Amino acid sequence: MENNFKELVDLYHQKKIEGMDFSQIRKELAGKNIEEDLIKDIVRAIDDRMLRGEVKKKGKFKARELRLIGWTLMIIGGIITLGTYFHWFDMKGYYFVSYGPVIAGYLLIIAARKAQRKEF
C-alpha cells in the first residue's frame, strides 16, 4: 500500500509539473476506483512537494543573486578607489575613496551566505 501510494504521488507530481490541474488529478484517481481519503492524501502530498520545490528554487536563486551583486559592488568600489590612488583617472589632485560600495557589497555577500544556510 505504501509503495503504491509513493508511486501514485510520484506519477501525479510529474503530471502536475507538466501542467495537469488538481481537479483533473482527482478525476483520474477517482476513475481508478481509489478511495476519497487516499485521493486527498495523494493531492496533499503532491501539493507539499510542489511548495517545497518552489521555495528551494527561489531561495537558491536569491542567495546567488545577492552574492553576484555583492561581488560586483566590491569590485567596482575597489577599482574606483585604486584608480584614483594610482592616478588611472585624472581627478586633479583629489582622491575618491568609495568605501560605500565595498562595504555594501561585503554585507550583501554575508547576507547571501546566511540565506543559503537557511535553505539547508
Side-chain angles (χ1 to χ4, degrees), residues 5-114:
F5 176 79
K6 186 179 180 325
E7 289 174 3
L8 286 172
V9 171
D10 291 340
L11 174 70
Y12 286 103
H13 178 254
Q14 185 61 37
K15 287 186 177 186
K16 177 68 178 159
I17 290 172
E18 293 170 359
M20 187 178 234
D21 193 37
F22 279 122
S23 61
Q24 294 171 332
I25 292 172
R26 285 179 182 276
K27 286 178 186 175
E28 196 170 310
L29 288 171
K32 292 182 178 183
N33 295 326
I34 297 176
E35 298 175 7
E36 185 62 31
D37 291 336
L38 186 57
I39 292 173
K40 287 180 185 179
D41 291 340
I42 291 170
V43 169
R44 186 176 298 123
I46 294 168
D47 190 38
D48 288 344
R49 280 191 185 180
M50 294 297 290
L51 289 173
R52 277 185 285 152
E54 290 176 12
V55 169
K56 285 183 181 178
K57 288 179 186 174
K58 288 181 182 177
K60 286 182 182 178
F61 181 71
K62 186 176 181 183
R64 182 176 179 216
E65 183 178 296
L66 284 174
R67 186 177 297 114
L68 181 65
I69 293 170
W71 277 109
T72 303
L73 282 173
M74 284 183 64
I75 290 170
I76 289 172
I79 289 173
I80 291 171
T81 301
L82 291 174
T84 57
Y85 181 75
F86 289 116
H87 302 291
W88 295 340
F89 312 116
D90 185 23
M91 299 290 289
K92 298 182 182 177
Y94 292 101
Y95 288 103
F96 187 79
V97 180
S98 56
Y99 289 132
V102 174
I103 292 171
Y106 180 72
L107 292 175
L108 283 174
I109 292 171
I110 291 173
R113 287 182 183 169
K114 288 183 181 180

